[in-house]
Amino acid sequence: MSRALIVIDVQESFRVRPLWADTLNPGVAEPVNRLVDLARAAGDLVVWVLHTEPGSGNPFDPATGHVRLFEELDEPRPGEPLLHKTSHNAFTTTNLQQILTTHGVGELRICGIRAEQCVETTTRVASDLGYDVTFVSDATTTDPLGRFSAADLLERTETVLRDRFARIATVAELAAEDGARAGEQAEVAASTA
């Protein structure tokens, strides 16, 4: 079974909004880049997703020029899809499921911006579609909402997803798992040589 990393909405549209000053992790690009490096090293598909609201005039309107990946993110490589969605989840208004099916993907790692909105919604839909999903908490961020702090929202999201829709993990945990898996594969290859 193949695996894919879905990077959701890590885009400049968020940084131009006043709420960005209160985001939980303004340096979210750094753990996202580490996660992308892990995915590429493992030969996983990396899929980049941007949220758009054409004609809205807000920062998610492509005409504003803000619907682009954070500058400090690694650039998508050839073969890494860059999708534009108009719904909260990354499946409904894109061909994401077709791409994953074509690549034989059954396992997803998901991260991005607005933990309780687009990242959670994509995680839930992916689970319902039968994918084995890992929600990567430290490569995900959000803003405060109403009386809830950003940290409260991330904790709530992890709580409602854990063991129902997804496994919750950090980039360091996934790096350790990938390292152990690579070591096991090397031992198997050496024993059969």
Side-chain angles (χ1 to χ4, degrees), residues 10-191:
V10 186
Q11 64 191 72
E12 294 295 340
S13 307
F14 285 101
R15 290 207 283 208
V16 298
R17 299 169 65 204
L19 281 176
W20 187 253
D22 298 321
T23 197
L24 181 63
N25 181 7
V28 70
E30 190 271 329
V32 169
N33 276 335
R34 285 188 294 141
L35 199 54
V36 168
D37 289 345
L38 282 176
R40 289 172 174 164
D44 298 344
L45 176 66
V46 178
V47 180
W48 306 85
V49 181
L50 297 173
H51 184 77
T52 66
E53 297 175 7
S56 65
N58 70 31
F60 297 94
D61 185 335
T64 66
H66 301 301
V67 180
R68 64 184 190 282
L69 294 169
F70 279 10
E71 270 185 24
E72 59 270 38
L73 285 177
D74 290 340
E75 286 291 315
R77 291 186 178 168
E80 295 179 351
L82 176 61
L83 308 178
H84 293 79
K85 66 180 177 61
T86 57
S87 62
H88 291 298
N89 76 79
F91 288 94
T92 303
T93 59
T94 71
N95 65 337
L96 176 58
Q97 188 173 9
Q98 179 184 9
I99 290 168
L100 298 176
T101 300
T102 299
H103 285 85
V105 171
E107 183 181 345
L108 300 177
R109 291 177 173 174
I110 299 178
C111 68
I113 294 183
R114 298 290 320 254
E116 79 290 354
Q117 192 168 319
C118 296
V119 183
E120 178 181 338
T121 306
T122 300
T123 299
R124 286 175 180 257
V125 171
S127 175
D128 283 350
L129 291 172
Y131 294 99
D132 180 13
V133 184
T134 300
F135 177 95
V136 189
S137 56
D138 60 338
T140 300
T141 193
T142 196
D143 309 319
L145 183 64
R147 64 182 178 87
F148 298 101
S149 72
D152 289 341
L153 288 171
L154 181 60
E155 180 181 359
R156 174 234 160 251
T157 300
E158 291 173 344
T159 300
V160 299
L161 292 176
R162 182 177 284 113
D163 301 327
R164 295 153 100 195
F165 298 96
R167 177 174 77 112
I168 309 300
T170 64
V171 176
E173 290 167 343
L174 296 175
E177 289 173 15
D178 287 1
R181 185 177 298 129
E184 290 168 7
Q185 290 171 344
E187 285 179 22
V188 169
S191 69

